[in-house]
Amino acid sequence: MALRTLVTRTAAALKQRCQPHLMQSITVVLSRRYSSVPDDLKYSKSHEWVKVDGDTAVIGITDHAQHELGDVVFADLPDTGTSVSKGDAFAVVESVKAASDVYSPVSGQVLDINATVKDTPALVNKAPFTDGWLIKVQLSDKSELDSLLDAAKYKEHVEHSSH
Amino acid sequence: MRRACWRLAAALDRQSNRKEGSSLGLRRCYADEAALKKTVLHDFHVANGAKMVPFAGWSMPLMYKDSIMDSTINCRSNGSLFDVSHMCGLSLKGRDAIPFLETLVVGDIAALPAGTGTLSVFTNQKGGIIDDTVITKVKDDHIYLVVNAGCRDKDLEHVDSQLSAYKASGKDVTYHIHDERSLLALQGPLAGPVLQKLVQEDLSHVYFGDFKVLKVNGVECFVTRTGYTGEDGFEISVPSEHGLELAKAILEKGEDKVRLTGLGARDSLRLEAGLCLYGNDLEQHITPIEAGLTWTIGKRRRSEGGFLGADIILTQLKEGPPRRRVGLISGGAPARSHSDILDESGSQQLGEVTSGAFSPCLKKNIAMGYVASGKHKEGTTVKVSVRGKLNEAVVTKMPFVPTRYYKKA
């Protein structure tokens, strides 16, 4: 919660460019934090998360991913109704410098997309696991979930891949 | 202006090679790190949280703990310190140094007042740009120039090949590569006040483009009031054994407002300032006229020629070039390098984006690229193709963000 407040304040400070002191001090604090990895989600090695609810799942990118990318400035999301396949790119998120593919951790049909993220891409940075979700899918093969990482395994994966 | 950030895009996220697909967040470097050259500040960068990337054969900081967005904005509101020691400083000496250099570049170097410098370009036989460089006339028989790290080998080869023929006729020119020095760029509105705390000289009389040999923090340095951000600032060439202490002194005097800044923000800053990046916006097959660098060709040089490719360049000057470099502001996803530029109807290709990104200061997508002459006028609406989508774009005057060089009133 405290972290969320900080992030929100950082964004506010960024909008007010004339307050560099505030911006810097918060950024320094922020950069010392560890990536959060919620226990109730499944993860892919390519840094996407899945929240399963019955036969549907919400997909987004992890805190670690958003942190590595930096400020997200644009999100290209698929249309509702399109099919996504496990391992295929379904979206592109763009930071200041780079465009990165987002790979689908599962297969299914897109039921909904997060239109708010299209208007406010920074939500992916601010709240990657909640308001910054990307798409919701109808799962076509629930057994695919078994191949995903749990929180502990994903944490290990991040630690291993960041040195 | 110059500076080989040409592998930056690749280093950042393999963004221009979309076919390979760049996965989220993974920017691990598989290059042989041991083979990379390190500046004297390397360990200092790492200790300050830098993300190091291979760049033109060097291990260089892409960014530190601040995001590229924050770093870019901070440079314009406060200040930035960049380690640009990968760039290659050269001294050309001798009675015939200036006439020799003028056979290679388009500038009127003879007319430069001693102690001042200017942007120029090396050209080839076809009028294309081999590299861009900042050339300073220290005095009549001493020229100091800085060339791009990524162009170093070919530049030196070019100079060597031209020099051997030139010297065969008994001319007096030698050159020295300043590998014993490191280069720091201090940029932004605090650059002047901060550097003033470290030098005796009154910097209020040192203007954009001026060059001085000054004691900075007690050590003799080459100081040029120039940069690659569009802001006021200095490039300080310091003997390498004093590089670290100078960087620390600058940061200390900068009181946490002048912050270490990496190549990522440097690229945003130069693009916002409308400055070219060799390897992206300037290439062997692009002439200075096409690149909008006609202003670098001195008046005397326009009438006399005498540089490689002069016939082609001077003909283009008279008749107009077939294509021109333009600035673009576009909607939708940012148009990166190699995005196609099409006419308003989207049916005819006009050219290609050579650099493009989201501007941290303007909060818009900015880009530069080349379009067919006639479509280059400010306000022309075109389309840019990004992942198959045609986004609206408008030809826009550069710099995108007003430059703030310290010039005589």
Side-chain angles (χ1 to χ4, degrees), chain A residues 14 17 20-21 24 27 47-48 61 68 71 73-74 76 94-101 103 161 163, chain B residues 13 15 18 22 24-25 27-28 67 69-70 74 78 256-257 259 264 268 332-333 336 358 361 387 389:
Chain A
L14 275 174
R17 282 159 42 195
H21 291 292
Q24 282 174 9
T27 311
H47 307 285
E48 293 85 11
I61 72 169
E68 285 291 303
D71 308 276
V73 299
F74 191 86
D76 241 345
E94 304 229 14
S95 62
V96 174
K97 284 284 168 283
S100 300
D101 286 323
Y103 296 106
S161 63
H163 351 122
Chain B
D13 223 330
Q15 68 190 31
R18 303 277 314 150
S22 46
L24 274 174
R27 286 189 200 119
R28 299 198 63 196
S67 71
M69 186 93 88
D70 292 356
N74 185 63
N78 293 306
D256 212 35
K257 291 183 183 173
R259 299 180 68 83
S268 293
R336 315 276 182 183
F358 182 82
C361 294
R387 297 187 288 274
K389 280 183 194 158

Side-chain angles (χ1 to χ4, degrees), chain A residues 62-110:
Chain A
T62 66
D63 189 35
H64 172 73
Q66 71 77 19
H67 186 67
E68 285 291 303
L69 284 174
D71 308 276
V72 174
V73 299
F74 191 86
D76 241 345
L77 301 180
D79 293 329
T80 306
T82 52
S83 293
V84 296
S85 302
K86 180 179 164 70
D88 284 357
F90 71 91
V92 176
V93 290
E94 304 229 14
S95 62
V96 174
K97 284 284 168 283
S100 300
D101 286 323
V102 185
Y103 296 106
S104 187
V106 292
S107 305
Q109 197 175 32
V110 179

Side-chain angles (χ1 to χ4, degrees), chain A residues 3-18:
Chain A
L3 178 67
R4 181 79 60 74
T5 314
L6 266 182
V7 178
T8 314
R9 280 169 56 203
T10 305
L14 275 174
K15 281 181 193 148
Q16 300 166 23
R17 282 159 42 195
C18 307

Side-chain angles (χ1 to χ4, degrees), chain B residues 47-359:
Chain B
N48 279 278
K51 196 173 278 181
M52 304 301 289
V53 293
F55 181 80
W58 293 78
S59 172
M60 296 302 291
L62 174 67
M63 58 188 291
Y64 299 81
K65 288 174 183 171
D66 302 345
S67 71
I68 291 175
M69 186 93 88
D70 292 356
S71 283
T72 305
I73 292 166
N74 185 63
C75 180
R76 301 211 190 283
S77 51
N78 293 306
S80 285
L81 180 66
F82 304 89
D83 177 12
V84 287
S85 304
H86 58 306
M87 293 202 306
C88 175
L90 293 170
S91 273
L92 214 53
K93 289 189 177 179
R95 194 179 58 242
D96 301 307
I98 290 175
F100 169 65
L101 183 59
E102 285 198 349
T103 65
L104 305 181
V105 303
V106 300
D108 187 348
I109 310 304
L112 268 183
T116 66
T118 185
L119 175 72
S120 196
V121 294
F122 289 96
T123 50
N124 59 31
Q125 301 277 10
K126 291 182 174 172
I129 299 171
I130 295 175
D131 195 5
D132 57 343
T133 174
V134 170
I135 296 176
T136 299
K137 185 197 272 185
V138 180
K139 46 192 179 147
D140 285 336
D141 60 356
H142 181 189
I143 298 292
Y144 169 66
L145 60 163
V146 179
V147 304
N148 280 304
C151 296
R152 173 185 171 133
D153 292 348
K154 77 168 178 183
D155 287 356
L156 293 177
E157 201 176 303
H158 179 60
V159 169
D160 282 338
S161 70
Q162 300 292 318
L163 190 58
S164 56
Y166 194 78
K167 278 170 84 168
S169 53
K171 304 284 189 181
D172 171 30
V173 192
T174 56
Y175 75 84
H176 169 73
I177 307 167
H178 287 291
D179 281 340
E180 78 287 2
R181 291 178 167 268
S182 296
L183 193 63
L184 300 179
L186 173 60
Q187 300 281 295
L190 292 181
V194 166
L195 188 62
Q196 189 64 75
K197 292 178 186 170
L198 297 169
V199 298
Q200 295 282 321
E201 177 101 7
D202 178 2
L203 294 176
S204 68
H205 302 299
V206 179
Y207 297 98
F208 181 69
D210 285 358
F211 170 93
K212 299 266 178 196
V213 178
L214 296 178
K215 275 204 167 165
V216 184
N217 200 33
V219 175
E220 201 165 88
C221 293
F222 304 161
V223 177
T224 315
R225 197 153 197 164
T226 187
Y228 193 45
T229 61
E231 297 296 318
D232 179 26
F234 302 86
E235 289 186 356
I236 307 161
S237 172
V238 56
S240 287
E241 64 272 26
H242 298 289
L244 180 59
E245 70 195 36
L246 178 57
K248 285 180 176 169
I250 289 170
L251 292 171
E252 191 201 318
K253 300 293 180 196
E255 296 174 344
D256 212 35
K257 291 183 183 173
V258 173
R259 299 180 68 83
L260 283 166
T261 307
L263 295 178
R266 188 170 166 82
D267 192 48
S268 293
L269 288 157
R270 70 92 194 166
L271 182 57
E272 289 182 339
L275 301 172
C276 293
L277 171 60
Y278 194 88
N280 278 40
D281 314 304
L282 304 178
E283 285 273 18
Q284 303 262 19
H285 60 277
I286 294 170
T287 71
I289 311 290
E290 293 167 331
L293 298 177
T294 306
W295 65 271
T296 63
I297 309 172
K299 199 176 164 191
R300 176 175 59 83
R301 308 306 308 276
R302 294 179 195 202
S303 57
E304 289 177 7
F307 47 89
L308 293 173
D311 48 340
I312 293 166
I313 291 170
L314 297 178
T315 303
Q316 276 195 359
L317 183 63
K318 217 164 83 185
E319 297 171 2
R323 57 184 172 168
R324 293 174 193 262
R325 183 171 62 94
V326 295
L328 297 169
I329 289 183
S330 67
R336 315 276 182 183
S337 59
H338 303 299
S339 298
D340 286 337
I341 306 171
L342 300 105
D343 68 352
E344 206 177 358
S345 69
S347 55
Q348 191 198 345
Q349 184 167 351
L350 302 175
E352 203 178 79
V353 170
T354 49
S355 291
F358 182 82
S359 160

